[in-house]
Amino acid sequence: MSNQQELSTKHLLGIKYINADDINLIFETAVNFKEVINRPIKKVPSLRDVTIANLFFENSTRTKISFELAEKRLSADVVNFSSSGSSVKKGESLLDTVNNILSMKVDMVVMRHPAPGAHVFLSNHIDANIINAGDGTHEHPTQALLDAFSMREKLGSLKGKKIVIVGDIMHSRVALSNIYCLQKLGATVKVCGPPTLLPKYISSLGVEVEYDLRKALNWCDVANVLRIQLERQDIKYIPSLREYAQFYGINKDILDSLDKEIVLMHPGPINRGVELSSDAADSDHSIILQQVENGVAIRMAVLYLLSGKRS
Ligand code: NCD
């Protein structure tokens, strides 16, 4: 239960900057919005007269659609911008681009940007509420919130639960946000993957490292499996995807051979046959589609709660 009625912050820049009460308040609000989006009429007037700009300087499918749906379900006015085909390609700075958009009287900005810290920079320069939809390899807070919310739905309180994050920890913003979020909720987090994809600083975050996939899976209650982020790898970190799949790919046979039932998660997009086989991704263990559904409710909750902190 949250002891708060409102968030402690005006922006959602990262999970690092919010506390456990904020997270619980977002969850409680998301439970109500999940009920709303399952009604025949899925819309509420909560953000009527609020204008939200979705600024995507990096590719996105589900996060962008999920934010847009969340905004529309809350009756906000929505404008979309993506950097391909924009003046960014003509050399305009981030601040100029955003200030131009804000002159059109935008109240909230949802942004995905390749530069870690871009949102913190912007929050020092503009008045609108800023929501981080992914900053490079750094944080992806709404993904971590929807992941933890989905785990909580399945397992109850996360206090003392064991979560392993498997795969390309080094290049994943989902990993860092998950670690912060799960630890704030009292879970124990391990990471598992090839040594070249596990950054050295990871143990300083209070996270244990396990290189053996089978051991990690036998230890955990939940495995959150990440994609190999080839687009962020400037050098070769693994010999081949085939070899990666052999050592770190999860299939139904591995799941069936474990000592216990575990929950399988993935933020998407999945590389089927690499980190997850189809029979694992589509098995009863998997809650991947529930994650996507919960994403809309979580983003509605974040937008709604932050809108109360507009100054
Ligand atoms: C993640 C992202 O973009 O960081 N996906 C997502 O938001 N649904 C993970 C990924 O791209 O692998």
Side-chain angles (χ1 to χ4, degrees):
M1 277 291 284
S2 165
N3 303 318
Q4 291 176 194
Q5 295 301 312
E6 56 173 48
L7 294 179
S8 65
T9 151
K10 178 183 169 186
H11 309 289
L12 181 61
L13 303 175
I15 302 290
K16 188 176 179 183
Y17 308 105
I18 60 173
N19 58 45
D21 279 339
D22 289 322
I23 298 171
N24 284 318
L25 178 61
I26 293 169
F27 288 173
E28 282 161 29
T29 313
V31 169
N32 295 330
F33 282 130
K34 188 164 178 182
E35 190 263 314
V36 168
I37 58 179
N38 280 294
R39 288 182 198 159
I41 296 168
K42 302 172 175 51
K43 218 166 163 156
V44 286
S46 316
L47 294 195
R48 194 181 281 162
D49 294 330
V50 175
T51 305
I52 305 178
N54 297 316
L55 312 183
F56 279 74
F57 294 87
E58 241 192 19
N59 293 344
S60 173
T61 314
R62 83 210 68 217
T63 303
K64 195 165 160 198
I65 292 176
S66 179
F67 267 112
E68 199 175 333
L69 263 182
E71 292 154 3
K72 289 184 169 160
R73 303 268 191 254
L74 291 167
S75 307
D77 292 322
V78 180
V79 283
N80 288 307
F81 161 94
S82 78
S83 58
S84 55
S86 74
S87 293
V88 174
K89 293 272 180 279
K90 301 179 189 169
E92 186 170 63
S93 74
L94 171 63
L95 195 54
D96 278 343
T97 304
V98 175
N99 268 330
N100 273 282
I101 295 168
L102 290 181
S103 316
M104 302 176 211
K105 307 282 176 254
V106 166
D107 303 299
M108 306 179 89
V109 171
V110 173
M111 185 169 84
R112 172 168 284 194
H113 197 279
H119 302 75
V120 176
F121 166 77
L122 260 198
S123 70
N124 292 327
H125 290 89
I126 66 172
D127 274 339
N129 308 97
I130 299 168
I131 295 133
N132 182 354
D135 59 333
T137 55
H138 183 219
E139 278 226 41
H140 190 353
T142 55
Q143 182 68 46
L145 289 167
L146 77 89
D147 287 347
F149 182 80
S150 306
M151 292 180 206
R152 205 185 71 137
E153 250 182 6
K154 191 82 188 164
L155 304 173
S157 163
L158 295 187
K159 232 186 189 80
K161 295 290 183 314
K162 298 170 184 167
I163 320 293
V164 65
I165 306 173
V166 182
D168 186 357
I169 311 297
M170 170 105 85
H171 301 98
S172 169
R173 51 190 167 218
V174 178
L176 191 58
S177 288
N178 256 264
I179 291 168
Y180 287 141
C181 190
L182 294 168
Q183 287 182 337
K184 286 182 185 196
L185 296 173
T188 308
V189 185
K190 276 190 186 178
V191 291
C192 176
T196 49
L197 292 178
L198 304 182
K200 294 253 182 315
Y201 65 78
I202 206 80
S203 46
S204 69
L205 297 175
V207 170
E208 274 182 46
V209 173
E210 173 60 72
Y211 299 112
D212 183 321
L213 177 68
R214 221 167 255 278
K215 277 195 194 156
L217 296 180
N218 263 322
W219 168 84
C220 73
D221 300 303
V222 180
N224 198 358
V225 184
L226 305 179
R227 184 174 66 87
I228 296 282
Q229 313 254 315
L230 285 175
E231 74 278 19
R232 298 192 194 286
Q233 299 184 8
D234 41 359
I235 57 169
K236 259 188 166 293
Y237 288 83
I238 48 172
S240 69
L241 287 180
R242 209 165 120 188
E243 190 167 321
Y244 180 82
Q246 209 176 332
F247 287 94
Y248 291 101
I250 299 177
N251 57 38
K252 186 83 176 21
D253 286 346
I254 297 180
L255 292 173
D256 288 343
S257 72
L258 300 176
D259 303 334
K260 61 203 269 207
E261 280 272 310
I262 67 163
V263 178
L264 196 60
M265 301 178 63
H266 193 299
I270 304 172
N271 285 312
R272 284 181 184 255
V274 182
E275 65 266 7
L276 284 183
S277 67
S278 281
D279 61 3
D282 304 330
S283 70
D284 292 343
H285 298 267
S286 159
I287 58 165
I288 294 170
L289 291 177
Q290 285 96 305
Q291 289 175 259
V292 179
E293 179 184 350
N294 287 335
V296 178
I298 282 287
R299 290 176 175 120
M300 286 173 83
V302 167
L303 292 162
Y304 171 75
L305 290 167
L306 288 179
S307 76
K309 308 257 328 168
R310 279 193 294 135
S311 55

